[in-house]
Amino acid sequence: MAILRRSRYDGSYIPEGIYQAVILYVYIDSAVKVGDNLSDQIVIVYQAAVGQFLRTVRERYFLPYRENCRLASVLQSFLGYVPDQFDSDNLIDMDCYIRIHHKELASGQTWCYVDEVFPMVDES
């Protein structure tokens, strides 16, 4: 699963932690090579407030999705349930919190990814 290690736009490293974020855009990558197979993936681009700066991170989720997959948990966070189908455009501009987690690759590089998504709680 290829996940952006650093933002393509600002080249910055995002430390592990929970950040306030918004979904900038969502798109489908068709026939992505994953191991020896091809897989369709939905890519969600989050913009997170990291200190005084805004950073972007892309997260890839496999399609089609199932009730126990990572994409289903994102939808569960926003909608409160896992729908049979959804319009990905409805995710754009949604506010949330994301948990950034790191994993060291065999190459020695750090793999930063969105480990979990939490909904914004309306405190009114």
Side-chain angles (χ1 to χ4, degrees):
M1 180 183 315
I3 298 173
L4 185 68
R5 292 181 195 110
R6 294 184 178 179
S7 171
R8 189 163 110 182
Y9 302 108
D10 57 31
S12 64
Y13 173 82
I14 301 175
E16 285 187 329
I18 296 175
Y19 300 96
Q20 185 174 347
V22 64
I23 295 177
L24 288 182
Y25 52 96
V26 180
Y27 62 91
I28 304 294
D29 259 354
S30 298
V32 175
K33 187 167 173 106
V34 179
D36 293 334
N37 300 314
L38 296 178
S39 173
D40 290 341
Q41 298 177 348
I42 186 168
V43 181
I44 300 178
V45 179
Y46 300 93
Q47 184 176 58
V50 181
Q52 301 174 351
F53 303 100
L54 295 176
R55 304 289 187 239
T56 57
V57 62
R58 297 173 198 278
E59 188 64 58
R60 296 177 176 272
Y61 303 92
F62 288 109
L63 291 174
Y65 73 99
R66 292 169 179 60
E67 275 191 48
N68 60 350
C69 72
R70 293 178 56 238
L71 178 57
S73 71
V74 170
L75 295 174
Q76 175 78 32
S77 291
F78 287 121
L79 305 175
Y81 66 98
V82 179
D84 291 333
Q85 59 182 329
F86 71 97
D87 183 350
S88 62
D89 288 345
N90 291 340
L91 296 176
I92 297 171
D93 292 331
M94 292 196 89
D95 293 318
C96 59
Y97 290 99
I98 58 173
R99 181 191 325 255
I100 297 292
H101 193 73
H102 294 171
K103 178 179 179 181
E104 189 172 331
L105 302 174
S107 65
Q109 292 179 308
T110 300
W111 178 29
C112 299
Y113 62 95
V114 177
D115 181 47
E116 201 168 351
V117 178
F118 308 99
M120 282 283 198
V121 178
D122 185 14
E123 297 184 17
S124 59

